[in-house]
Amino acid sequence: MLLAKCVLILVLQVLSCRGEFFSSTSGLEKLFETEVVLLAELQNYVNEINQHAGALQSEIDAIRVEHLNAADGIDDYLNNPVNAFRLIKRLHSDWETFEGSVKTDSSRSNYLDTMARLKENLSFPSQDDFVGSAIALTRLQQTYQLDVAELASGILNGVKYGTAMSWQDCFVLGQHLYALRDYNHTVPWLQQSMQLLGEQSYGSESASLDFMEAVVEYHREMGAHESALSLVNHVLSIEPDQRIHLLEARQQLEELITDGDKNGLLHLTARRPGDYHESREFRMYEQVCRGELAPLPSKQRSLRCRLRKSRLGYAPFKLEELHLDPLVVQLHQVIGSNDSESLQKSARPMIKRSTVYSLGGNGGSTAAAFRTSQGASFNYSKNAATKLLSHHVGDFSDLNMDYAEDLQVANYGIGGHYEPHWDSFPENHIYQEGDLHGNRIATGIYYLSDVEAGGGTAFPFLPLLVTPEKGSLLFWYNLHPSGDQDFRTKHAACPVLQGSKWIANVWIRERNQDNVRPCDLERGQEISLHYRDFD
């Protein structure tokens, strides 16, 4: 119990920063390796002393269970968002607690000196990683309407993937969401934390009840009167005589509930008008990700699957029409596993946080919260695999690949997503100096991995969800034949629920594509203008 208290006191301390990890599942392997080394050092320290060994050993055993669960498949383990959050949380907070627990011991100096040396060379998550992983869990919770109790139990969409979260994990997540002013998500995570605390062997001890009393104040400040009252009643049911002071709090809460009181942070911090995440368009995107919104059968009757001959002597393309106007197609089994894995291997040492073009229209780019992934760019001439990707897109589409941007290989992190956006540039876009290739006429997405759950490509206006299929190519045109933006092609990367998503983006510019897609004499963009400012 003493160590559990220490966790609560020190849980928000920040360790040294060694780069960004939450935005790519690839980087999580470094964190796992860090924890393996740290665990070994802590075990060495515990082996040297006998005092306090019981408390420390219990924490070691809990982490060992995590590592044993990961032994059968490290990728599956790290690709689970709950496991990833708990790994980051432990490295972000718990290991500082372990250090603190030995500072009063006479033999602590050797251990602390070793930890100081390790911190100079190992990878540690930053505050941004910790906050990013917390936000990712709530993003998954909201997008896929996941039950908090199931998510905390390691259950994602009804499937048990990983180890359950502890009451401390849930509390820390709730506490950070509170700090982020996300009170709607704070309440259920604090509720789950207190439920799990009550189920512990020490859940009825006075120290645990004291902590529950403190959490009551969180709920009261937020205006979650029912949650506060439930917790007060629980504490009083265990220690009615020792907690007489709570009787007044219970009466006040009952009166507030009866009066329908709406005071508190939950009611004072409603989303601001015009918040995109409250728009009809964003709700449609989430519905498409969940599979609740899909094309009508009448729209699908005219869709066909067929073989398309290769002009370059490759095997015929296995083409599936997903939408006709605008045209969206998926080509199956375009590249093999060896090429997919080769591209991932080439990208891993180079990937960094993905950016988006600045909305200011200055031609620059920046990282954004609505896109959490890491990527690396390659010229198509780099190796045989990149050349093959270029050849296949050009072969299938007849477009001139000399006017394609560099290939971008991307990996999506914990709950990795990219909110609805257009690949084509707006009319006021300022092109960088020397960029005379025009707008992005077409997009191709090579799926370099399967994704166990989530991670689909969603077109909210069509409405269409494309499931990642390793080796396939998704292709569509971003522009009308007139060169105007086709606003119906707004699309998004749904959050990755389970697994690791690797893709390769192909963006082709419009210059010298006239022979393939001649410009219409009439603009013909009226059909998509409705979706430009859709709400």
Side-chain angles (χ1 to χ4, degrees):
M1 186 60 191
L2 177 61
L3 192 56
K5 289 182 180 178
C6 294
V7 170
L8 294 173
I9 295 172
L10 299 175
V11 77
L12 298 180
Q13 293 188 359
V14 180
L15 292 176
S16 59
C17 174
R18 297 295 188 199
E20 185 175 277
F21 298 99
F22 79 94
S23 56
S24 169
T25 56
S26 176
L28 292 173
E29 294 177 4
K30 295 180 180 179
L31 295 187
F32 192 83
E33 293 167 0
T34 292
E35 192 165 51
V36 169
V37 175
L38 296 182
L39 191 61
E41 289 301 325
L42 184 59
Q43 185 69 70
N44 289 337
Y45 171 75
V46 172
N47 290 340
E48 292 174 359
I49 62 172
N50 292 319
Q51 299 177 11
H52 311 302
L56 287 169
Q57 192 67 54
S58 65
E59 296 294 332
I60 291 170
D61 292 341
I63 301 177
R64 287 260 185 234
V65 170
E66 295 288 321
H67 289 203
L68 288 173
N69 289 337
D72 293 334
I74 183 66
D75 289 337
D76 288 341
Y77 176 85
L78 294 177
N79 292 336
N80 181 285
V82 172
N83 292 340
F85 167 78
R86 299 185 77 239
L87 171 61
I88 287 177
K89 176 254 182 185
R90 289 196 301 271
L91 288 173
H92 180 270
S93 307
D94 293 359
W95 284 97
E96 283 287 323
T97 303
F98 301 154
E99 292 180 40
S101 69
V102 302
K103 284 182 178 179
T104 57
D105 188 88
S106 59
S107 59
R108 72 182 187 275
S109 58
N110 289 340
Y111 171 76
L112 296 176
D113 289 344
T114 301
M115 291 296 294
R117 289 195 301 272
L118 291 175
K119 286 182 179 181
E120 294 298 320
N121 301 300
L122 296 179
S123 298
F124 284 85
S126 68
Q127 175 73 4
D128 287 343
D129 286 308
F130 189 48
V131 172
S133 64
I135 293 174
L137 282 181
T138 60
R139 180 188 308 124
L140 293 172
Q141 175 189 343
Q142 178 172 314
T143 303
Y144 297 108
Q145 297 184 343
L146 303 177
D147 179 74
V148 169
E150 288 192 351
L151 183 56
S153 299
I155 298 174
L156 305 175
N157 269 359
V159 180
K160 177 75 172 179
Y161 285 106
T163 307
M165 298 172 71
S166 68
W167 72 267
Q168 294 99 327
D169 294 333
C170 295
F171 174 75
V172 170
L173 178 55
Q175 197 174 38
H176 269 272
L177 293 172
Y178 180 89
L180 294 170
R181 301 181 180 180
D182 187 356
Y183 304 117
N184 286 315
H185 285 118
T186 299
V187 171
W189 282 106
L190 291 183
Q191 289 174 332
Q192 183 66 21
S193 173
M194 294 301 95
Q195 180 178 331
L196 293 175
L197 174 57
E199 295 171 357
Q200 303 304 310
S201 60
Y202 49 81
S204 298
E205 296 179 4
S206 292
S208 296
L209 299 180
D210 289 341
F211 188 72
M212 291 181 183
E213 273 200 55
V215 174
V216 167
E217 295 307 311
Y218 273 101
H219 288 300
R220 294 186 69 171
E221 188 175 358
M222 289 185 291
H225 306 312
E226 290 84 357
S227 299
L229 179 60
S230 176
L231 204 50
V232 166
N233 287 334
H234 174 75
V235 173
L236 282 172
S237 70
I238 298 174
E239 289 187 351
D241 297 331
Q242 299 91 326
R243 310 274 173 173
I244 296 177
H245 59 280
L246 287 179
L247 294 175
E248 182 180 355
R250 177 164 66 182
Q251 182 179 352
Q252 291 175 350
L253 288 167
E254 288 173 343
E255 291 175 354
L256 290 171
I257 293 171
T258 301
D259 295 341
D261 180 79
K262 297 297 182 183
N263 290 313
L265 296 172
L266 278 167
H267 309 289
L268 295 176
T269 56
R271 292 189 183 274
R272 63 187 183 276
D275 187 344
Y276 177 64
H277 296 95
E278 289 294 301
S279 67
R280 184 159 64 103
E281 176 183 309
F282 195 79
R283 290 197 298 272
M284 289 171 58
Y285 149 67
E286 292 183 318
Q287 287 177 307
V288 173
C289 288
R290 292 193 295 268
E292 298 172 358
L293 193 60
L296 296 173
S298 59
K299 297 289 186 180
Q300 296 178 304
R301 290 194 187 104
S302 57
L303 300 178
R304 298 290 183 267
C305 294
R306 63 182 184 273
L307 293 177
R308 179 160 177 168
K309 185 177 180 181
S310 165
R311 297 179 297 108
L312 302 180
Y314 295 111
F317 295 110
K318 300 176 180 178
L319 185 150
E320 179 184 1
E321 296 173 346
L322 303 180
H323 202 275
L324 294 181
D325 186 19
L327 180 66
V328 181
V329 298
Q330 188 170 17
L331 281 62
H332 301 277
Q333 300 174 348
V334 179
I335 59 172
S337 293
N338 289 341
D339 290 317
S340 295
E341 291 162 11
S342 172
L343 288 164
Q344 294 178 38
K345 184 178 180 180
S346 298
R348 284 179 189 274
M350 303 171 57
I351 58 174
K352 58 183 179 180
R353 180 68 183 270
S354 298
T355 60
V356 298
Y357 277 95
S358 171
L359 293 178
N362 59 6
S365 61
T366 183
F370 56 82
R371 184 186 192 186
T372 52
S373 65
Q374 292 190 15
S377 296
F378 301 96
N379 188 282
Y380 286 103
S381 63
K382 177 176 176 59
N383 55 43
T386 54
K387 291 178 182 177
L388 183 64
L389 266 58
S390 174
H391 290 164
H392 281 317
V393 174
D395 187 11
F396 155 73
S397 67
D398 287 338
L399 293 172
N400 189 337
M401 294 300 290
D402 290 339
Y403 298 93
E405 299 177 26
D406 283 351
L407 181 73
Q408 183 197 73
V409 178
N411 176 229
Y412 285 80
I414 308 166
H417 76 311
Y418 192 175
E419 292 181 2
H421 62 283
W422 293 287
D423 282 353
S424 53
F425 306 130
E427 289 184 355
N428 64 347
H429 179 74
I430 299 176
Y431 293 88
Q432 294 182 355
E433 185 176 357
D435 185 352
L436 304 176
H437 292 175
N439 211 334
R440 290 171 170 171
I441 188 174
T443 291
I445 298 178
Y446 282 99
Y447 294 112
L448 305 181
S449 66
D450 294 313
V451 181
E452 194 164 350
T457 303
F459 295 80
F461 297 146
L462 299 186
L464 177 67
L465 178 66
V466 183
T467 301
E469 176 192 294
K470 187 175 181 179
S472 69
L473 168 65
L474 179 66
F475 179 91
W476 70 89
Y477 283 104
N478 296 305
L479 307 179
H480 290 287
S482 61
D484 295 300
Q485 279 184 275
D486 190 335
F487 297 104
R488 299 170 296 176
T489 63
K490 200 169 201 177
H491 60 285
C494 299
V496 176
L497 185 58
Q498 170 69 23
S500 180
K501 179 182 178 182
W502 284 88
I503 63 171
N505 289 310
V506 179
W507 292 302
I508 308 165
R509 298 294 190 89
E510 62 183 329
R511 184 175 181 183
N512 286 350
Q513 311 293 358
D514 312 64
N515 60 325
V516 177
R517 209 164 188 249
C519 183
D520 281 354
L521 296 179
E522 298 182 2
R523 300 188 69 176
Q525 62 171 344
E526 291 78 9
I527 193 172
S528 74
L529 283 177
H530 168 67
Y531 300 100
R532 180 177 57 187
D533 301 309
F534 187 87
D535 182 43

